[in-house]
Structure formats: structure tokens, C-alpha cells
């Protein structure tokens, strides 16, 4: 069992300072725009920072390299897990994709003020960007947390992943059920589940996990479809 709290504890002083700026901006901007339901500094650290940082252990295990790794985080909201991962792992090149302009503007402020040189925030919809030649099958890793059920999420995500790369989905209690329902969608999109990495934040017991899906063959051109179609006719249902 991974304890994501340990990842935070192992950060350098400079990285902790960046997270402090991130937390300050999150609390400040949360009064104007709805970014998160948690407001306490400790809760922000546990539920957003540490939770995102569970991905550090997974990425380090899957890619035993210090060479550049390209990562796109889809539906990143206030920047989770994408910006947190960029702070923790300097060899990541992070593109943080979010549909809502205000949230992208918030992320840009965090990138500027916390000086996160290896991340950029982009406003867009995953199902459209996944067809862009500059994005199609161009990323080593795709991440997503709290965006959609797995069957929908794999259609949004796998078009971005290079063959041999991974899609990492942060999941909680419904993980098992979602996996069972997403089997056909994963196969259609060219993926294969390789493992489910369980993690917790501190001593608190949890059923949190990161579902690791490897891209084993190219995604057929017609996917992802328009969002309304993905929802209405989810693959495998
Ligand atoms: N990943 C963040 C935010 C979760 S909320 C976190 O874990 O805290 C889900 C976010 O996904 C919302 O901000 C929403 O605007 C965005 N989103 C939903 N569907 C999307 C899509 N198809 N493309 C891009 N962003 C999307």
C-alpha cells in the first residue's frame, strides 16, 4: 500500500514553497469561483496535494527514467493531479487540459506565481483535442481524477496516449464496478488494464486506487466521438 503522505514529506523546500503558493491561491480564488469544497490548509494538502502525489510513485514505477516524460491531465479543474505532479517531478512536461475558462485562468496564475516551468494550462475539451494532430498519440502518460466514470473516461483519454504509454485514472470506492463496466471500452480504444495501485493518504484507511491502463494498439480514428454521443452510447453498454 502506497502512503501518498510520504511523497509530500519527501519534497524539497523549494517544492513545498510552490505548494504553499498553490494552497494560498486556491483559498483566495475559491471565494470568487468555485474551485473546491475543501478550504482548510490540512484538507487541501491531504485531499488535493497528497492525493495527486500518489501518481508520483506510479509514474516512477512505470517509467524508470529521468528522461523527459510528456503528460496530459484531462479535466484538471483547479490543477489536479496535473500541476501537483509537475511540481513534484521536474522531468515531466505537463499539459493541463480543462474545459472551463475560469479554471484555466486560475491554473495559469498558479503556474506563474509558483513558477512551475514544466507545465502549461490549456482551455479545451478532451474529446476534441484528442483528434488534434499535435496531441493524437503523442503523450507518454494521460491522467484524470474525478472527471467521469471509467467507461467514458477511457474514450476521452486513450486517443492522447502513445502506444506503450499509459492512462492513469484516480478512482475510489466505485473503482471495481467501473472497471467491470469499462472492459469493452478499454479494448475498443486500444488499451489493457495492467494493474490497480492502491494508496492511502496518511494513516487513514481508504479504498483509493490508480487504475493503470497501457496502450497496446492504436485507437481507431473515429474515437473519441462527440461528448453527447459518448455519454448516450457509452462503449460496451
Ligand atoms: N481533476 C480535478 C477536477 C475534477 S472536476 C480534480 O480532481 O480536482 C471535473 C473537471 O473536468 C471540471 O472542471 C470540468 O470542467 C472538466 N471537464 C469535464 N469534462 C471535460 C472534457 N470533456 N474536457 C475537458 N474538461 C472536462
Amino acid at each position: 500500500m502506497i502512503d501518498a503522505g510520504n511523497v509530500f514529506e519527501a519534497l524539497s523546500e523549494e517544492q513545498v514553497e510552490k505548494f504553499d503558493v498553490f494552497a494560498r491561491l486556491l483559498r483566495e480564488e475559491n471565494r470568487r469561483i468555485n474551485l473546491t469544497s475543501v478550504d482548510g490548509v490540512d484538507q487541501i494538502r491531504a485531499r488535493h496535494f497528497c492525493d495527486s502525489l500518489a501518481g508520483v510513485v506510479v509514474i516512477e514505477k512505470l517509467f524508470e527514467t529521468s528522461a523527459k516524460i510528456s503528460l496530459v491531465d484531462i479535466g484538471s479543474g483547479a490543477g489536479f493531479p496535473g500541476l501537483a505532479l509537475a511540481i513534484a517531478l521536474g522531468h515531466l512536461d505537463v499539459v493541463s487540459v480543462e474545459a472551463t475558462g475560469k479554471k484555466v485562468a486560475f491554473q495559469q496564475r498558479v503556474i506563474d506565481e509558483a513558477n512551475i516551468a514544466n507545465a502549461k494550462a490549456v482551455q479545451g475539451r478532451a474529446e476534441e483535442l484528442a483528434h488534434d494532430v499535435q496531441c493524437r498519440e503523442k503523450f507518454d502518460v494521460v491522467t484524470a481524477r474525478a472527471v467521469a466514470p471509467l467507461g467514458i473516461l477511457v474514450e476521452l483519454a486513450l486517443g492522447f496516449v502513445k502506444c506503450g504509454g499509459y492512462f492513469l485514472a484516480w478512482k475510489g470506492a466505485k473503482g471495481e464496478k467501473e472497471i467491470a463496466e469499462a472492459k469493452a471500452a478499454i479494448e475498443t480504444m486500444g488499451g489493457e488494464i495492467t494493474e490497480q495501485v492502491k494508496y492511502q493518504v496518511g494513516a487513514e484507511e481508504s479504498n483509493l486506487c490508480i487504475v493503470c491502463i497501457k496502450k497496446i494498439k492504436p485507437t481507431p480514428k473515429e474515437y473519441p466521438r462527440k461528448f453527447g454521443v459518448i455519454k448516450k452510447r457509452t462503449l460496451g453498454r
Side-chain angles (χ1 to χ4, degrees):
M1 175 76 83
I2 292 170
D3 180 353
N6 293 339
V7 182
F8 195 93
E9 293 302 324
L11 294 173
S12 71
E13 214 172 293
E14 196 188 337
Q15 288 168 322
V16 172
E17 276 169 22
K18 289 180 196 288
F19 278 111
D20 286 344
V21 173
F22 199 165
R24 178 173 55 75
L25 293 175
L26 198 53
R27 299 183 76 203
E28 195 179 306
E29 293 280 323
N30 209 30
R31 288 186 221 121
R32 289 195 314 121
I33 51 172
N34 187 19
L35 292 167
T36 172
S37 61
V38 305
D39 192 58
V41 173
D42 293 344
Q43 283 174 303
I44 288 174
R45 181 193 285 204
R47 301 240 200 113
H48 292 312
F49 299 159
C50 292
D51 193 76
S52 297
L53 292 178
V56 167
V57 183
V58 177
I59 291 168
E60 284 180 335
K61 191 165 145 205
L62 294 174
F63 299 85
E64 289 170 332
T65 172
S66 53
K68 278 274 173 206
I69 296 172
S70 54
L71 182 151
V72 59
D73 183 30
I74 58 171
S76 50
F80 304 114
L83 297 190
L85 291 171
I87 293 173
L89 294 172
H91 64 304
L92 292 183
D93 233 329
V94 173
V95 178
S96 182
V97 172
E98 166 54 46
T100 309
K102 280 182 185 169
K103 294 183 183 178
V104 177
F106 169 75
Q107 289 192 38
Q108 192 56 53
R109 198 170 162 209
V110 175
I111 289 170
D112 293 342
E113 294 191 27
N115 207 356
I116 310 174
N118 57 332
K120 64 177 180 192
V122 171
Q123 184 178 4
R125 294 206 55 95
E127 67 276 19
E128 291 169 9
L129 284 170
H131 286 286
D132 187 313
V133 284
Q134 289 183 1
C135 296
R136 186 81 178 175
E137 303 192 323
K138 291 286 191 290
F139 291 87
D140 298 308
V141 187
V142 179
T143 54
R145 185 185 83 158
V147 178
L150 196 60
I152 291 176
L153 208 47
V154 290
E155 183 161 349
L156 294 174
L158 275 168
F160 288 97
V161 189
K162 279 182 197 168
C163 280
Y166 286 87
F167 170 44
L168 307 179
W170 272 240
K171 287 291 170 191
K174 292 188 199 137
E176 292 297 337
K177 185 165 175 273
E178 287 189 30
I179 288 173
E181 287 172 358
K183 284 257 150 71
I186 293 168
E187 210 204 308
T188 303
M189 293 299 289
E192 180 186 73
I193 294 187
T194 55
E195 60 185 316
Q196 258 173 282
V197 181
K198 295 203 161 78
Y199 71 92
Q200 62 188 40
V201 177
E204 203 179 317
E205 264 189 54
S206 77
N207 41 26
L208 300 168
C209 74
I210 295 180
V211 183
C212 306
I213 299 173
K214 187 172 188 178
K215 180 90 165 248
I216 53 168
K217 56 179 200 272
T219 298
K221 276 202 208 60
E222 62 266 38
Y223 302 110
R225 297 163 295 168
K226 293 208 160 81
F227 193 67
V229 181
I230 299 176
K231 268 185 86 171
K232 205 162 144 198
R233 288 191 269 124
T234 305
L235 289 167
R237 250 200 242 138

CSV table of all heavy atoms in Angstrom, one decimal, residues 77-114:
chain,number,residue,atom,x,y,z
A,77,GLY,N,-9.5,20.8,-13.7
A,77,GLY,CA,-10.2,21.7,-12.7
A,77,GLY,C,-9.2,22.8,-12.2
A,77,GLY,O,-8.8,23.6,-12.9
A,78,ALA,N,-8.9,22.7,-10.9
A,78,ALA,CA,-8.0,23.7,-10.3
A,78,ALA,C,-6.5,23.3,-10.5
A,78,ALA,O,-5.7,23.9,-10.0
A,78,ALA,CB,-8.3,23.9,-8.8
A,79,GLY,N,-6.3,22.1,-11.2
A,79,GLY,CA,-4.9,21.7,-11.5
A,79,GLY,C,-4.5,20.4,-10.9
A,79,GLY,O,-3.4,20.1,-10.7
A,80,PHE,N,-5.6,19.5,-10.6
A,80,PHE,CA,-5.3,18.2,-10.0
A,80,PHE,C,-5.7,17.0,-10.9
A,80,PHE,O,-6.8,17.0,-11.5
A,80,PHE,CB,-6.0,18.1,-8.7
A,80,PHE,CG,-5.7,19.2,-7.8
A,80,PHE,CD1,-6.7,20.1,-7.4
A,80,PHE,CD2,-4.4,19.3,-7.3
A,80,PHE,CE1,-6.4,21.1,-6.6
A,80,PHE,CE2,-4.1,20.4,-6.4
A,80,PHE,CZ,-5.1,21.3,-6.1
A,81,PRO,N,-4.7,16.1,-11.1
A,81,PRO,CA,-3.4,16.0,-10.4
A,81,PRO,C,-2.3,16.7,-11.2
A,81,PRO,O,-1.2,16.8,-10.7
A,81,PRO,CB,-3.2,14.5,-10.4
A,81,PRO,CG,-3.8,14.0,-11.6
A,81,PRO,CD,-5.1,14.8,-11.8
A,82,GLY,N,-2.6,17.3,-12.4
A,82,GLY,CA,-1.5,17.7,-13.3
A,82,GLY,C,-0.5,18.7,-12.7
A,82,GLY,O,0.7,18.4,-12.8
A,83,LEU,N,-0.9,19.8,-12.1
A,83,LEU,CA,0.0,20.8,-11.6
A,83,LEU,C,0.8,20.2,-10.4
A,83,LEU,O,2.0,20.5,-10.2
A,83,LEU,CB,-0.6,22.1,-11.3
A,83,LEU,CG,-1.3,22.9,-12.4
A,83,LEU,CD1,-1.7,24.3,-12.0
A,83,LEU,CD2,-0.4,22.9,-13.7
A,84,ALA,N,0.1,19.4,-9.6
A,84,ALA,CA,0.8,18.9,-8.4
A,84,ALA,C,2.0,17.9,-8.9
A,84,ALA,O,3.1,17.9,-8.3
A,84,ALA,CB,-0.2,18.1,-7.5
A,85,LEU,N,1.7,17.1,-9.9
A,85,LEU,CA,2.7,16.2,-10.4
A,85,LEU,C,3.8,17.0,-11.0
A,85,LEU,O,5.0,16.6,-10.9
A,85,LEU,CB,2.1,15.3,-11.5
A,85,LEU,CG,1.1,14.2,-10.9
A,85,LEU,CD1,0.3,13.5,-12.0
A,85,LEU,CD2,1.8,13.2,-10.0
A,86,ALA,N,3.5,18.1,-11.7
A,86,ALA,CA,4.6,18.9,-12.3
A,86,ALA,C,5.5,19.5,-11.3
A,86,ALA,O,6.7,19.5,-11.5
A,86,ALA,CB,4.0,20.1,-13.2
A,87,ILE,N,5.0,19.9,-10.1
A,87,ILE,CA,5.8,20.4,-9.1
A,87,ILE,C,6.7,19.3,-8.5
A,87,ILE,O,7.9,19.5,-8.3
A,87,ILE,CB,5.0,21.0,-7.9
A,87,ILE,CG1,4.2,22.2,-8.4
A,87,ILE,CG2,5.8,21.3,-6.7
A,87,ILE,CD1,3.2,22.8,-7.3
A,88,ALA,N,6.2,18.1,-8.3
A,88,ALA,CA,6.9,17.0,-7.7
A,88,ALA,C,8.0,16.4,-8.6
A,88,ALA,O,9.0,16.0,-8.1
A,88,ALA,CB,5.9,16.0,-7.2
A,89,LEU,N,7.7,16.3,-9.9
A,89,LEU,CA,8.6,15.6,-10.8
A,89,LEU,C,9.0,16.6,-12.0
A,89,LEU,O,8.3,16.8,-12.9
A,89,LEU,CB,7.9,14.4,-11.5
A,89,LEU,CG,7.5,13.3,-10.5
A,89,LEU,CD1,6.6,12.2,-11.2
A,89,LEU,CD2,8.8,12.6,-10.0
A,90,GLY,N,10.2,17.1,-11.8
A,90,GLY,CA,10.8,18.1,-12.8
A,90,GLY,C,11.0,17.5,-14.2
A,90,GLY,O,11.0,18.3,-15.1
A,91,HIS,N,11.0,16.2,-14.3
A,91,HIS,CA,11.2,15.7,-15.7
A,91,HIS,C,9.9,15.4,-16.4
A,91,HIS,O,9.9,14.9,-17.5
A,91,HIS,CB,12.1,14.4,-15.7
A,91,HIS,CG,11.5,13.2,-14.9
A,91,HIS,ND1,11.1,13.3,-13.6
A,91,HIS,CD2,11.3,12.0,-15.3
A,91,HIS,CE1,10.6,12.1,-13.2
A,91,HIS,NE2,10.7,11.3,-14.3
A,92,LEU,N,8.8,15.8,-15.8
A,92,LEU,CA,7.5,15.7,-16.5
A,92,LEU,C,7.3,17.0,-17.3
A,92,LEU,O,7.7,18.1,-16.9
A,92,LEU,CB,6.4,15.6,-15.6
A,92,LEU,CG,6.2,14.3,-14.8
A,92,LEU,CD1,4.9,14.5,-13.9
A,92,LEU,CD2,6.1,13.1,-15.7
A,93,ASP,N,6.7,16.9,-18.5
A,93,ASP,CA,6.3,18.0,-19.3
A,93,ASP,C,4.8,18.0,-19.3
A,93,ASP,O,4.2,17.1,-20.0
A,93,ASP,CB,6.8,17.8,-20.7
A,93,ASP,CG,7.6,19.0,-21.2
A,93,ASP,OD1,7.3,20.1,-20.8
A,93,ASP,OD2,8.5,18.8,-22.0
A,94,VAL,N,4.1,18.8,-18.5
A,94,VAL,CA,2.7,18.7,-18.3
A,94,VAL,C,1.8,19.6,-19.1
A,94,VAL,O,2.1,20.8,-19.1
A,94,VAL,CB,2.4,18.8,-16.8
A,94,VAL,CG1,0.9,18.8,-16.5
A,94,VAL,CG2,3.1,17.7,-16.0
A,95,VAL,N,0.8,19.1,-19.8
A,95,VAL,CA,-0.2,19.9,-20.4
A,95,VAL,C,-1.5,19.6,-19.6
A,95,VAL,O,-1.9,18.5,-19.4
A,95,VAL,CB,-0.4,19.5,-21.9
A,95,VAL,CG1,-1.5,20.4,-22.5
A,95,VAL,CG2,0.9,19.7,-22.7
A,96,SER,N,-2.1,20.7,-19.0
A,96,SER,CA,-3.2,20.5,-18.2
A,96,SER,C,-4.5,21.1,-18.9
A,96,SER,O,-4.6,22.3,-19.1
A,96,SER,CB,-3.0,21.3,-16.9
A,96,SER,OG,-4.0,21.2,-16.0
A,97,VAL,N,-5.3,20.1,-19.3
A,97,VAL,CA,-6.5,20.5,-20.1
A,97,VAL,C,-7.7,20.6,-19.3
A,97,VAL,O,-8.1,19.7,-18.5
A,97,VAL,CB,-6.7,19.4,-21.2
A,97,VAL,CG1,-8.0,19.7,-22.0
A,97,VAL,CG2,-5.5,19.4,-22.2
A,98,GLU,N,-8.4,21.7,-19.5
A,98,GLU,CA,-9.6,22.0,-18.7
A,98,GLU,C,-10.6,22.8,-19.6
A,98,GLU,O,-10.2,23.7,-20.3
A,98,GLU,CB,-9.3,22.8,-17.4
A,98,GLU,CG,-10.4,23.4,-16.7
A,98,GLU,CD,-11.6,22.4,-16.3
A,98,GLU,OE1,-11.3,21.3,-15.8
A,98,GLU,OE2,-12.7,22.8,-16.5
A,99,ALA,N,-11.9,22.4,-19.5
A,99,ALA,CA,-12.9,23.0,-20.4
A,99,ALA,C,-13.3,24.4,-20.0
A,99,ALA,O,-13.6,25.3,-20.8
A,99,ALA,CB,-14.1,22.1,-20.5
A,100,THR,N,-13.3,24.6,-18.7
A,100,THR,CA,-13.8,25.9,-18.1
A,100,THR,C,-12.7,27.0,-18.1
A,100,THR,O,-11.7,26.8,-17.4
A,100,THR,CB,-14.4,25.7,-16.7
A,100,THR,OG1,-15.3,24.6,-16.7
A,100,THR,CG2,-15.1,26.9,-16.2
A,101,GLY,N,-13.0,28.1,-18.8
A,101,GLY,CA,-12.0,29.2,-18.9
A,101,GLY,C,-11.5,29.7,-17.5
A,101,GLY,O,-10.3,30.0,-17.4
A,102,LYS,N,-12.5,29.9,-16.6
A,102,LYS,CA,-12.1,30.5,-15.3
A,102,LYS,C,-11.1,29.6,-14.6
A,102,LYS,O,-10.2,30.1,-13.8
A,102,LYS,CB,-13.3,30.7,-14.4
A,102,LYS,CG,-14.1,31.9,-14.7
A,102,LYS,CD,-15.3,32.0,-13.8
A,102,LYS,CE,-16.2,33.2,-14.2
A,102,LYS,NZ,-17.5,33.2,-13.5
A,103,LYS,N,-11.3,28.3,-14.7
A,103,LYS,CA,-10.4,27.4,-14.0
A,103,LYS,C,-9.0,27.4,-14.7
A,103,LYS,O,-8.0,27.3,-14.0
A,103,LYS,CB,-11.0,26.0,-14.0
A,103,LYS,CG,-12.2,25.9,-13.1
A,103,LYS,CD,-12.8,24.5,-13.1
A,103,LYS,CE,-14.1,24.4,-12.3
A,103,LYS,NZ,-14.7,23.1,-12.2
A,104,VAL,N,-9.0,27.5,-16.0
A,104,VAL,CA,-7.7,27.6,-16.7
A,104,VAL,C,-7.0,28.8,-16.3
A,104,VAL,O,-5.8,28.8,-16.1
A,104,VAL,CB,-8.0,27.6,-18.3
A,104,VAL,CG1,-6.6,27.7,-19.0
A,104,VAL,CG2,-8.7,26.3,-18.7
A,105,ALA,N,-7.7,30.0,-16.2
A,105,ALA,CA,-7.1,31.2,-15.8
A,105,ALA,C,-6.5,31.1,-14.4
A,105,ALA,O,-5.4,31.6,-14.1
A,105,ALA,CB,-8.1,32.3,-15.8
A,106,PHE,N,-7.2,30.3,-13.5
A,106,PHE,CA,-6.7,30.1,-12.1
A,106,PHE,C,-5.4,29.3,-12.2
A,106,PHE,O,-4.4,29.6,-11.6
A,106,PHE,CB,-7.7,29.3,-11.3
A,106,PHE,CG,-7.1,28.8,-10.0
A,106,PHE,CD1,-6.8,29.7,-9.0
A,106,PHE,CD2,-6.7,27.5,-9.9
A,106,PHE,CE1,-6.2,29.2,-7.8
A,106,PHE,CE2,-6.1,27.0,-8.7
A,106,PHE,CZ,-5.9,27.9,-7.7
A,107,GLN,N,-5.4,28.2,-13.0
A,107,GLN,CA,-4.2,27.4,-13.2
A,107,GLN,C,-3.0,28.2,-13.7
A,107,GLN,O,-1.9,28.0,-13.3
A,107,GLN,CB,-4.4,26.2,-14.1
A,107,GLN,CG,-5.4,25.2,-13.5
A,107,GLN,CD,-5.4,23.9,-14.4
A,107,GLN,OE1,-4.3,23.5,-14.9
A,107,GLN,NE2,-6.5,23.3,-14.6
A,108,GLN,N,-3.3,29.1,-14.6
A,108,GLN,CA,-2.2,29.9,-15.2
A,108,GLN,C,-1.6,30.8,-14.1
A,108,GLN,O,-0.4,31.0,-14.1
A,108,GLN,CB,-2.8,30.8,-16.3
A,108,GLN,CG,-1.7,31.5,-17.2
A,108,GLN,CD,-0.7,30.5,-17.8
A,108,GLN,OE1,-1.1,29.5,-18.4
A,108,GLN,NE2,0.6,30.7,-17.5
A,109,ARG,N,-2.5,31.3,-13.2
A,109,ARG,CA,-2.0,32.1,-12.1
A,109,ARG,C,-1.1,31.3,-11.2
A,109,ARG,O,0.0,31.8,-10.8
A,109,ARG,CB,-3.2,32.7,-11.3
A,109,ARG,CG,-2.8,33.8,-10.5
A,109,ARG,CD,-3.9,34.6,-9.9
A,109,ARG,NE,-3.4,35.3,-8.8
A,109,ARG,CZ,-4.0,35.7,-7.7
A,109,ARG,NH1,-5.3,35.4,-7.5
A,109,ARG,NH2,-3.4,36.4,-6.7
A,110,VAL,N,-1.5,30.1,-10.9
A,110,VAL,CA,-0.6,29.2,-10.1
A,110,VAL,C,0.7,28.9,-10.8
A,110,VAL,O,1.8,29.0,-10.2
A,110,VAL,CB,-1.4,27.8,-9.8
A,110,VAL,CG1,-0.5,26.9,-9.1
A,110,VAL,CG2,-2.7,28.1,-9.0
A,111,ILE,N,0.6,28.6,-12.1
A,111,ILE,CA,1.9,28.4,-12.8
A,111,ILE,C,2.8,29.6,-12.8
A,111,ILE,O,4.0,29.4,-12.5
A,111,ILE,CB,1.5,28.0,-14.3
A,111,ILE,CG1,0.9,26.6,-14.4
A,111,ILE,CG2,2.8,28.1,-15.2
A,111,ILE,CD1,0.3,26.3,-15.7
A,112,ASP,N,2.3,30.8,-12.9
A,112,ASP,CA,3.1,32.0,-12.9
A,112,ASP,C,3.6,32.3,-11.5
A,112,ASP,O,4.8,32.5,-11.4
A,112,ASP,CB,2.3,33.2,-13.4
A,112,ASP,CG,1.9,33.1,-14.9
A,112,ASP,OD1,2.5,32.3,-15.6
A,112,ASP,OD2,0.9,33.8,-15.3
A,113,GLU,N,2.7,32.3,-10.5
A,113,GLU,CA,3.2,32.7,-9.2
A,113,GLU,C,4.0,31.7,-8.5
A,113,GLU,O,4.8,32.0,-7.6
A,113,GLU,CB,2.0,33.2,-8.4
A,113,GLU,CG,1.3,34.4,-9.0
A,113,GLU,CD,0.3,35.1,-8.1
A,113,GLU,OE1,0.4,35.0,-6.9
A,113,GLU,OE2,-0.6,35.7,-8.7
A,114,ALA,N,3.7,30.4,-8.7
A,114,ALA,CA,4.5,29.3,-8.1
A,114,ALA,C,5.7,29.0,-9.0
A,114,ALA,O,6.5,28.1,-8.6
A,114,ALA,CB,3.7,28.1,-7.8
